[in-house]
Amino acid sequence: VTRVCVIGAGIVGCATAYALARSGVEVTLIDREAAPGQGTSLANGAQLSYSYVQPLASPQTLRALPAILLGRSAGLRFVPRLDVGQWSWALRFLWACRPGAADRGTTRLLELAAASRETLDAWLADEHWDVGFARLGKLVLCPDASTLRAQQAQVALQARLGCRQDVLSPVECTQREPALMRRQGPLAGGIWTADEAVVDPFLLSAAMVASLQRLGGRFIARCEVEGFERRGRQLPAVRTSLGHIEADTFVLAAGPQARALAAGLGVRLPIYPIKGYSVTLPFRRAERPTVSVTDLGAKTVFAPLADRLRVAAMAEIVGDDCTIPEERVQRMVASVEQTYPGLCDSSEPQPWAGLRPATPDSVPIVGRWEESNLFLNVGHGALGLTLAAGCASRLVRKILSLSVEGRRRQINDWAKVEHLN
Ligand SMILES: Cc1cc2nc3c(=O)[nH]c(=O)nc-3n(C[C@H](O)[C@H](O)[C@H](O)COP(=O)(O)OP(=O)(O)OC[C@H]3O[C@@H](n4cnc5c(N)ncnc54)[C@H](O)[C@@H]3O)c2cc1C
């Protein structure tokens, strides 16, 4: 491989481009936006959630289906649309809810998450990026006994797969995080995972691009990919708003937009957007939360990021509309007040909405499109920040091994030619 062009500078594309540049490859990263990290990676939940990777499709989700369809679920909303893509995705999602499939998905995602943690730790040690990274640990709060029991079963499953997690009583929860002392609402107990971390997704994307450029790679902003030039299965170039860009290998990392771009090649990616929201609030007092918290009652995650609290919630299967209803913002602000009364200044919350590029079984698609020079790194759903480094390093290994194989084949062909001569 001499030249690789990565399409999409979200967290996944930035990690892929940076990993390629570290391996000595000539890389061009392109994005339609003016800067990296402006899509779903802009203001997400900021959690490196290495031990919380359970697929959204599960027997529990299936049991909650009537409430979801009636609009009575706190976390998940499904609004049916006249959209074949939504219905075929929803059917595959239901199939992925069968018993056993979710556990297999958890196993695969835990492996990927472990690889991701190892890779990102190595990159952070090498680069000293100032990106709000902190290994704070995560406390998951369970409002009632049945939620706690379900979490305990998950902890037992994950213990067999190498995760270290502790079950805490309500008192132990507030000892672990004193900022929860004045929390309102029922609490049956919690799960503590010491080695979870937080990082600002936008800062991390930007830092990766800066390092890519330092290593000799290029970042082209405001460059929208319109389609691919095609010669059989080989793609010699992409057509963009700035003209043709040629490369030996292309990587599609366009997040929720990957489905439409791949459709232009006749490739049907099983990706559908799942909308979610965040608000970011400045801290009012000097004392800050010391761990990241997930409240399973409110279905909300809280991540302390330097002088701000990032709050993320909700999963809506409603198409690719990114509007932010005021009611969602107020709901998240209210959950901050219930969890940490008086801690944040909620007068000017910074609201955001993003589209998780989700596959039906929550497992991302990382690999090569048939026998072509197009590679895919897409479909990271609710875990793109967590899995980006691991998926990038796996894909780079694949690209490099194929190029070694290609060179070997070429040498064999030359040998054959010499032999014939
Ligand atoms: C509310 C919410 C909370 C979340 N919280 C977490 C969390 O705590 N932890 C976690 O691990 N994950 C979290 N996620 C998921 C995570 O944000 C995503 O999985 C991740 O951002 C996907 O990254 P990506 O690079 O694939 O997509 P994106 O970040 O969307 O990047 C795709 C890029 O492709 C570009 N692009 C698209 N089309 C074109 C084109 N035609 N030409 C050129 N460029 C193009 C876009 O401009 C964009 O920059 C959350 C998501 C949401 C919505």
Side-chain angles (χ1 to χ4, degrees):
V1 177
T2 47
R3 297 165 307 162
V4 180
C5 174
V6 179
I7 302 162
I11 191 69
V12 173
C14 293
T16 309
Y18 170 67
L20 282 162
R22 275 177 72 100
S23 305
V25 172
E26 187 185 318
V27 191
T28 301
L29 172 65
I30 56 183
D31 200 286
R32 61 184 182 179
E33 300 293 341
Q38 300 297 299
T40 314
S41 307
L42 185 62
N44 67 23
Q47 319 247 337
L48 292 166
S49 223
Y50 298 119
S51 300
Y52 282 89
V53 295
Q54 301 100 294
L56 182 60
S58 67
Q60 294 94 295
T61 306
L62 202 55
R63 279 196 290 279
L65 200 59
I68 295 166
L69 292 175
L70 290 170
R72 294 204 191 119
S73 159
L76 191 58
R77 206 163 76 92
F78 176 74
V79 177
R81 293 162 54 92
L82 277 176
D83 173 358
V84 182
Q86 189 197 43
W87 283 93
S88 65
W89 186 92
L91 288 174
R92 292 176 76 159
F93 179 86
L94 289 178
W95 177 242
C97 285
R98 68 200 189 282
D103 288 354
R104 281 193 296 279
T106 301
T107 308
R108 287 175 69 187
L109 289 166
L110 280 176
E111 281 165 14
L112 207 45
S116 223
R117 174 171 22 213
E118 201 180 305
T119 306
L120 185 60
D121 284 355
W123 291 354
L124 287 164
D126 287 352
E127 299 280 358
H128 304 289
W129 290 318
D130 184 9
V131 290
F133 175 85
R135 208 179 302 279
L136 301 179
K138 187 207 279 279
L139 182 57
V140 172
L141 303 177
C142 303
D144 51 53
S146 75
T147 310
L148 185 61
R149 270 197 304 278
Q151 285 299 306
Q152 281 172 309
Q154 190 68 25
V155 167
L157 168 77
Q158 298 197 169
R160 292 197 290 277
L161 301 168
C163 293
R164 278 167 312 189
Q165 298 175 290
D166 301 315
V167 180
L168 305 188
S169 68
V171 171
E172 287 168 327
C173 288
T174 45
Q175 282 167 348
R176 173 58 69 191
E177 174 52 292
L180 293 172
M181 205 71 87
R182 293 160 64 210
R183 175 182 176 273
Q184 295 152 12
L187 183 62
I191 310 295
W192 169 246
T193 314
D195 44 12
E196 302 285 77
V198 296
V199 68
D200 186 312
F202 164 68
L203 292 181
L204 183 59
S205 306
M208 284 173 171
V209 171
S211 294
L212 163 77
Q213 289 169 321
R214 199 199 66 237
L215 292 168
R218 282 198 304 165
F219 172 56
I220 309 180
R222 294 194 183 92
C223 176
E224 174 141 23
V225 173
E226 289 155 358
F228 294 90
E229 293 292 309
R230 197 167 166 178
R231 224 176 280 136
R233 290 241 182 278
Q234 294 306 302
L235 311 175
V238 276
R239 277 181 279 113
T240 80
S241 52
L242 301 180
H244 282 48
I245 296 178
E246 292 181 359
D248 303 309
T249 298
F250 291 91
V251 178
L252 183 61
Q257 290 80 34
R259 189 176 58 142
L261 281 173
L265 291 169
V267 182
R268 282 210 204 161
L269 292 179
I271 293 176
Y272 199 78
I274 301 190
K275 184 180 184 183
Y277 305 87
S278 76
V279 291
T280 307
L281 306 169
F283 291 121
R284 187 183 276 154
R285 296 199 303 258
E287 69 267 37
R288 307 272 157 87
T290 53
V291 307
S292 82
V293 164
T294 297
D295 188 325
L296 291 181
K299 301 265 189 302
T300 302
V301 298
F302 305 91
L305 285 174
D307 56 349
R308 300 158 294 147
L309 185 70
R310 172 71 47 79
V311 185
M314 284 163 266
E316 303 183 340
I317 306 174
V318 295
D320 53 12
D321 139 68
C322 259
T323 51
I324 309 178
E326 184 56 24
E327 181 273 332
R328 307 288 195 284
V329 179
Q330 291 314 323
R331 210 197 296 178
M332 284 185 286
V333 169
S335 70
V336 176
E337 275 309 306
Q338 274 162 16
T339 309
Y340 308 104
L343 183 86
C344 290
D345 176 359
S346 47
S347 59
E348 283 180 29
Q350 277 177 279
W352 173 81
L355 303 171
R356 302 174 181 93
T359 59
D361 61 1
S362 295
V363 179
I365 301 166
V366 183
R368 184 183 183 195
W369 172 49
E370 298 184 352
E371 293 290 299
S372 74
N373 59 338
L374 176 66
F375 289 78
L376 306 167
N377 196 357
V378 294
H380 299 73
L383 288 168
L385 180 60
T386 306
L387 301 179
C391 291
S393 65
R394 277 196 184 181
L395 190 68
V396 170
R397 272 207 302 280
K398 210 166 270 187
I399 292 173
L400 295 181
S401 70
L402 279 172
S403 82
V404 169
E405 193 190 301
R407 237 177 284 140
R408 212 177 287 139
R409 222 181 287 142
Q410 214 171 22
I411 291 168
N412 283 344
D413 287 348
W414 284 331
K416 269 186 228 148
V417 173
E418 273 171 22
H419 181 69
L420 282 177
N421 285 343

